[in-house]
Amino acid sequence: FGLHNIDAKDILTPQHIAKVELYGDRTLIILNACYYDGSTELHTEHICLLVADNTIVTFKEGDSYSIFDGVKKAIDENLLDIRANGTGQLLIHLLNALTSSLVEAATQTEEMLEDIEELLLDIHNIPANTGQLILGRRKESITIRKNAQPLKEQFIKLSKNPALISSELLPLFNDVYDRSFNDLHSVDFSGWRLGNEFSVHARTGLEIRIPFRLVADVIGRINLLVISQTERLELINHPQREDTAVPNG
């Protein structure tokens, strides 16, 4: 298929930055998919697509993640007119499968963050490993966002190549683009959630605002955030205060 040695190296280099290389009648697309396994551990899968004439060759790291099963079924059963418009139609469905993996991982991260927030509602019964959970999910949300952000620029580059995406296929391509990146706002939301204030409703009925990063840091260090009885009385006596600070020491 006329692969350059540098392209072969890129294919064999895991966690390579997303990019599209156009040369002659060949196009090499390098992307990274994300997915959670059955133990809710996040994995990143290095995916490459080589488009050559009327052929698309896909490369992935292993068989543990069946990212293209839906596309294979469409090819076998000739669904979605996948054979109707050459490699362009097939490429769009392959790209849709890749972006869907990021959307699914982002959605799952958001759901797990919501579960952690539920744990923080009762400040007297916060599990000892909550700090580690917060920091772990934060790291995962950053990983998903890191793999999702470069895709916009690469998708735009593909859309401007009529040899890959014909004018007839451009509406379908734009639909996949718009839907995928609208859904991927959940990735940014995961990062926003961890960077802003988290509201804890104490038993006094007052709302105590604690920065979420501070919660993660404090719980990670001492495993439990304790608000003393004296501080509670102070909050009751001064209900106009919206924020509370963790005392020195």
Side-chain angles (χ1 to χ4, degrees), residues 73-90:
K73 180 179 180 181
I75 293 173
D76 292 340
E77 301 179 12
N78 198 24
L79 303 174
L80 305 173
D81 293 328
I82 201 166
R83 296 178 179 272
N85 291 287
T87 53
Q89 182 100 347
L90 176 57

Side-chain angles (χ1 to χ4, degrees), residues 1-19:
F1 293 100
L3 264 181
H4 192 280
N5 288 339
I6 295 177
D7 294 329
K9 183 179 178 180
D10 289 343
I11 291 172
L12 296 172
T13 304
Q15 309 303 313
H16 198 289
I17 188 171
K19 69 174 184 177

Side-chain angles (χ1 to χ4, degrees), residues 84-242:
N85 291 287
T87 53
Q89 182 100 347
L90 176 57
L91 177 61
I92 291 172
H93 287 288
L94 291 170
L95 294 174
N96 182 58
L98 285 161
T99 56
S100 293
S101 79
L102 292 167
V103 171
E104 291 170 5
T107 301
Q108 192 167 351
T109 304
E110 181 181 344
E111 291 172 352
M112 289 188 287
L113 287 170
E114 291 174 353
D115 292 340
I116 294 174
E117 288 181 351
E118 291 294 328
L119 294 176
L120 291 172
L121 287 175
D122 186 353
I123 61 175
H124 296 287
N125 295 291
I126 300 175
N129 68 335
T130 303
Q132 287 77 15
L133 288 175
I134 294 173
L135 295 175
R137 298 310 177 200
R138 169 173 167 74
K139 182 179 179 180
E140 291 167 359
S141 71
I142 292 173
T143 297
I144 298 170
R145 187 166 64 250
K146 179 181 177 181
N147 287 301
Q149 284 180 337
L151 297 185
K152 281 190 175 183
E153 181 180 348
Q154 304 309 320
F155 269 56
I156 291 173
K157 185 185 294 187
L158 289 172
S159 69
K160 293 181 178 179
N161 186 346
L164 283 176
I165 308 298
S166 65
S167 57
E168 292 81 6
L169 290 174
L170 197 56
L172 176 62
F173 182 87
N174 289 336
D175 179 67
V176 170
Y177 175 90
D178 292 339
R179 179 163 38 82
S180 298
F181 290 106
N182 283 336
D183 291 342
L184 278 170
H185 278 303
S186 59
V187 179
D188 295 328
F189 179 72
S190 296
W192 175 88
R193 176 191 296 275
L194 288 165
N196 286 270
E197 292 180 335
F198 174 76
S199 299
V200 180
H201 294 276
R203 291 182 181 178
T204 59
L206 298 175
E207 184 179 82
I208 305 169
R209 292 188 176 274
I210 304 173
F212 211 32
R213 285 196 181 95
L214 178 61
V215 174
D217 181 63
V218 173
I219 296 176
R221 291 172 184 268
I222 64 175
N223 293 330
L224 188 63
L225 178 63
V226 179
I227 297 179
S228 68
Q229 186 66 30
T230 302
E231 289 171 308
R232 290 193 193 190
L233 291 174
E234 183 180 353
L235 287 172
I236 293 173
N237 292 329
H238 302 279
Q240 70 275 14
R241 290 179 55 186
E242 295 183 357

Side-chain angles (χ1 to χ4, degrees), residues 44-101:
T44 301
E45 183 87 3
H46 182 61
I47 305 289
C48 298
L49 308 174
L50 174 64
V51 186
D53 297 326
N54 200 36
T55 303
I56 297 181
V57 184
T58 64
F59 302 86
K60 60 193 191 78
E61 293 183 65
D63 297 327
S64 58
Y65 181 45
S66 303
I67 186 171
F68 295 132
D69 276 2
V71 180
K72 289 179 181 178
K73 180 179 180 181
I75 293 173
D76 292 340
E77 301 179 12
N78 198 24
L79 303 174
L80 305 173
D81 293 328
I82 201 166
R83 296 178 179 272
N85 291 287
T87 53
Q89 182 100 347
L90 176 57
L91 177 61
I92 291 172
H93 287 288
L94 291 170
L95 294 174
N96 182 58
L98 285 161
T99 56
S100 293
S101 79

